Amino acid sequence: MKISGSRIILECLKEKGVDTIFGYPGGAVIPLYDALYDELDYFNHIRTCHEQHMVHAADAYARSTGKTGVVIATSGPGATNTITGIATAYMDSVPMVVITGQVPNMLIGKDSFQEVDITGMTLSITKHNYLCRDIKNLAHTIREAMDVAASGRPGPVLVDVPKDVFLAEYEYERTEEPVYVEEKVYVEKASLERAAELINKSKKPVLYAGGGVRISKNDALMIELIEKVEIPTVNSFMGFGTIPRDHRLSLGLVGMHGQIHANLAVTNCDLLIAVGARFSDRVIGKPDQFAPNAKIIHIDIDSTEIDKNTQDCVPLIGDMKYILENLLEMVDEAKRPEWLEELEGMKREEPDKTLFTPKNILEKTNEYYSDNTIVTTDVGQHQMWTGQYWKFKKSNEFCTSGGLGTMGYGLGAAIGAQVGNPDKEVLLITGDASFRMNHNELITVNRYRLPIKMIELNNHSLGMVRQWQRMFSDARYSETDTFDDVDGKMFLESYGIKYYLAETMEELEFALKESAHLRTTVFIECLIDHDESVFPIVPPGRPINELLLNG
């Protein structure tokens, strides 16, 4: 049967199991929204206040559900407003399809009203993108975009559709067969045997778990491996939850703001097994002094990551499930009491829990939320403190901008996580500077009655930048203080949000007791010291064992 291009898009999304769309209407996508008008019994459409935040919402929807996020934006400024969100998803390998409207074919290339070359602009931040100028190719393009976004190493895909293609009609036949299947790569047995031999001979191994473990859903296999061979494990930010933080082999965060014992474990190990991790600069510090005594095994699906930031690793490129299953069979069971005891001796004493510090605030908050709470953050000091102190148990519990470091990510992400997981608790941990970038989305939270809980660590500054200015720029605080006369209570309550102010642990505990399990939106503003800092910190360009504990 012949149907419009707009209906073809919606039918293809149905084929792929899509039932939730994050979007914002505009001139070029009016035909698509006209078709959507008849499909609102099937599709749950979420309209945010700004296109950037709807992409962040689709991003966290994808991370927390394992589904592909779908976004609709109009041409011109609507499309360009999606760029930061697309780049955020690209850096963290999040499956997403962004459908943008474009001016009609006859106006492309003529500097028409709201015309931009969005495919050209996003070429370097998408896994693939398309300008679909012919109705004949539309169904195949949408199907392929959905398949490409979710296959292999996932990522965002953009499809730009001229307005006349939305309106044109063409034959449509439903199919559920994939049009694109990324061929799985299987590692040669000799490579697996070499890796297993290295593991069996190792005395001080460490496993470095990244986001690829979460994306490939191989958490359980990885844990089975480390328990059989007794390998202590560190996480990148993207890898949090792949091993429960309270597991006896979990060492926590590694890198610039990593726990002391985690960084020292990597520095002193004789074998580092990287699983689905990309050795970012924030993890490795000075490359030639990272894990200096260790042989490195690098397990990844993306060959371009091999030896990008390291040298002479043993590469195991391909399907992670296949690799881990084979290693599990090949390695010998082992116990490493001396190595674990050495690492235990590297841990620091706990500070006073009565002080109103970020550590104590987050650990106390953690006590009031269930193990399957989804935590989203913005970017800055509060993000690092969350990584250091929150006891993540599962790998889909944490949504944060790791690779791009996008301030303003958190509230949109909380919206998407709550939409995708209506029966779970969603907690946003934010800072006052990041919250300024996205608080307009409180309107969205209110509109859809989303019971998101929010904790703001308010130090009246751009905290991380200010810390760096103090430590590395002679305390020349240039444009980082934010002492503005805003009444937080009036501001939050104007959105219909329950508000609490906490300046002591007693006030925080009162707010948590009263609000933690309410099915309504709650905001707790925690006023912390202006000079609270994230420690440990590894100065830029230094090896990760050279941690500063104060400064």
Side-chain angles (χ1 to χ4, degrees):
M1 64 174 174
K2 277 192 174 183
I3 59 175
S4 71
S6 296
R7 285 192 59 198
I8 287 173
I9 290 172
L10 298 180
E11 292 300 325
C12 289
L13 292 179
K14 287 182 184 178
E15 291 173 8
K16 298 298 182 182
V18 175
D19 57 15
T20 301
I21 297 171
F22 300 86
Y24 202 106
V29 291
I30 285 175
L32 183 53
Y33 273 88
D34 187 63
L36 183 63
Y37 187 85
D38 297 322
E39 297 283 358
L40 291 177
D41 287 341
Y42 182 88
F43 289 105
N44 180 25
H45 182 275
I46 304 297
R47 191 191 75 220
T48 56
C49 296
H50 191 283
E51 289 93 348
Q52 177 180 334
H53 302 130
M54 78 184 180
V55 183
H56 294 328
D59 171 308
Y61 173 89
R63 296 191 204 214
S64 62
T65 65
K67 302 175 183 177
T68 298
V70 175
V71 170
I72 297 172
T74 194
S75 64
T80 58
N81 279 347
T82 68
I83 287 177
T84 299
I86 293 171
T88 300
Y90 181 75
M91 291 289 283
D92 291 346
S93 302
V94 178
M96 181 188 301
V97 171
V98 179
I99 300 169
T100 54
Q102 183 55 274
V103 300
N105 270 298
M106 64 179 292
L107 297 179
I108 291 176
K110 299 182 179 181
D111 293 331
S112 306
F113 176 67
Q114 292 193 333
E115 179 196 3
V116 296
D117 177 15
I118 192 64
T119 52
M121 289 179 179
T122 59
L123 189 63
S124 65
I125 55 168
T126 51
K127 187 175 178 184
H128 195 61
N129 66 24
Y130 307 80
L131 171 57
C132 186
R133 301 186 68 166
D134 192 333
I135 183 71
K136 295 177 183 178
N137 302 324
L138 185 59
H140 180 84
T141 299
I142 296 296
R143 291 165 179 153
E144 185 172 274
M146 291 293 297
D147 291 345
V148 169
S151 65
R153 180 178 182 173
V157 175
L158 183 136
V159 183
D160 198 30
V161 183
K163 189 172 184 178
D164 54 311
V165 176
F166 287 126
L167 292 165
E169 292 192 345
Y170 195 68
E171 289 290 334
Y172 165 78
E173 287 188 23
R174 182 179 177 85
T175 178
E176 295 186 5
E177 291 296 315
V179 300
Y180 174 86
V181 178
E182 192 161 303
E183 186 177 350
K184 287 189 177 181
V185 177
Y186 296 101
V187 180
E188 292 182 0
K189 189 176 180 181
S191 297
L192 289 165
E193 288 174 343
R194 184 183 176 200
E197 183 182 8
L198 287 172
I199 295 171
N200 289 335
K201 288 182 176 179
S202 171
K203 302 297 183 186
K204 296 182 175 184
V206 169
L207 189 139
Y208 160 37
V213 182
R214 171 184 57 82
I215 292 166
S216 63
K217 301 181 177 64
N218 282 306
D219 314 36
L221 259 180
M222 185 196 77
I223 291 172
E224 196 175 347
L225 176 66
I226 66 170
E227 288 179 340
K228 180 177 180 179
V229 196
E230 203 160 61
I231 305 177
T233 299
V234 299
N235 282 118
S236 70
F237 250 83
M238 292 295 95
F240 273 131
T242 53
I243 176 174
R245 187 61 191 88
D246 57 2
H247 192 288
R248 66 185 185 87
L249 294 173
S250 172
L251 301 181
L253 180 64
V254 66
M256 178 174 280
H257 294 292
Q259 272 88 1
I260 295 172
H261 54 282
N263 282 14
L264 293 181
V266 171
T267 302
N268 291 292
C269 72
D270 61 11
L271 177 67
L272 184 68
I273 308 162
V275 187
R278 60 190 180 88
F279 291 97
S280 80
D281 58 297
R282 288 299 174 100
V283 166
I284 67 174
K286 192 173 183 181
D288 61 359
Q289 294 184 41
F290 177 75
N293 305 311
K295 197 71 180 171
I296 296 175
I297 299 171
H298 193 172
I299 301 171
D300 209 287
I301 197 170
D302 187 352
S303 61
T304 66
E305 293 295 345
I306 303 301
D307 283 342
K308 185 167 72 176
N309 296 319
T310 57
Q311 295 292 325
D312 300 324
C313 76
V314 176
L316 298 179
I317 305 164
D319 181 71
M320 188 182 296
K321 184 173 186 287
Y322 176 83
I323 294 168
L324 292 178
E325 284 178 339
N326 277 273
L327 286 178
L328 193 55
E329 287 185 8
M330 293 176 174
V331 296
D332 301 328
E333 190 170 342
K335 299 293 181 184
R336 308 180 194 276
E338 296 88 357
W339 179 220
L340 296 180
E341 186 178 345
E342 182 180 338
L343 295 176
E344 189 66 28
M346 298 174 184
K347 294 182 179 180
R348 294 181 67 197
E349 290 184 11
E350 293 288 308
D352 186 341
K353 289 187 177 292
T354 64
L355 300 176
F356 200 59
T357 62
K359 174 179 169 58
N360 292 339
I361 291 168
L362 290 171
E363 289 185 340
K364 178 57 66 176
T365 302
N366 204 161
E367 293 175 11
Y368 282 84
Y369 284 88
S370 62
D371 286 350
N372 66 348
T373 297
I374 298 171
V375 176
T376 73
T377 76
D378 278 294
V379 168
Q381 288 179 312
H382 68 274
Q383 178 193 32
M384 297 298 112
W385 287 319
T386 303
Q388 289 175 334
Y389 304 129
W390 197 268
K391 301 295 189 291
F392 292 103
K393 298 290 181 67
K394 298 175 184 175
S395 62
N396 62 350
E397 291 176 353
F398 189 37
C399 299
T400 194
S401 174
L404 195 63
T406 305
M407 288 180 69
Y409 170 84
L411 185 52
I415 290 168
Q418 190 72 82
V419 168
N421 303 270
D423 297 328
K424 289 188 177 183
E425 293 177 301
V426 174
L427 174 68
L428 166 65
I429 300 173
T430 186
D432 53 300
S434 284
F435 188 60
R436 291 160 178 263
M437 293 192 171
N438 58 28
H439 60 61
N440 54 321
E441 294 303 336
L442 293 174
I443 296 172
T444 308
V445 173
N446 193 357
R447 179 186 181 195
Y448 294 103
R449 299 291 186 265
L450 301 174
I452 297 166
K453 307 301 191 305
M454 302 172 230
I455 299 280
E456 180 188 72
L457 300 180
N458 184 358
N459 55 8
H460 293 100
S461 72
L462 279 66
M464 186 62 84
V465 182
R466 191 177 191 277
Q467 178 178 338
W468 278 50
Q469 287 176 339
R470 183 177 70 255
M471 296 183 69
F472 309 123
S473 298
D474 298 323
R476 291 161 58 86
Y477 298 123
S478 179
E479 296 298 322
T480 46
D481 290 332
T482 59
F483 283 99
D484 298 329
D485 190 17
V486 176
D487 187 321
K489 179 178 173 63
M490 290 183 65
F491 177 73
L492 271 297
E493 289 182 347
S494 71
Y495 288 99
I497 294 170
K498 193 169 183 61
Y499 170 85
Y500 296 88
L501 177 65
E503 297 182 73
T504 65
M505 291 303 294
E506 291 75 18
E507 289 173 344
L508 173 65
E509 187 145 23
F510 171 80
L512 291 170
K513 281 182 179 177
E514 191 169 282
S515 69
H517 301 294
L518 293 177
R519 292 301 288 173
T520 188
T521 313
V522 173
F523 191 98
I524 303 175
E525 182 180 14
C526 298
L527 298 182
I528 62 174
D529 189 89
H530 201 47
D531 290 318
E532 282 285 0
S533 297
V534 182
F535 290 110
I537 182 172
V538 178
R542 302 304 304 158
I544 64 169
N545 61 312
E546 294 186 12
L547 305 102
L548 300 180
L549 306 183
N550 54 62

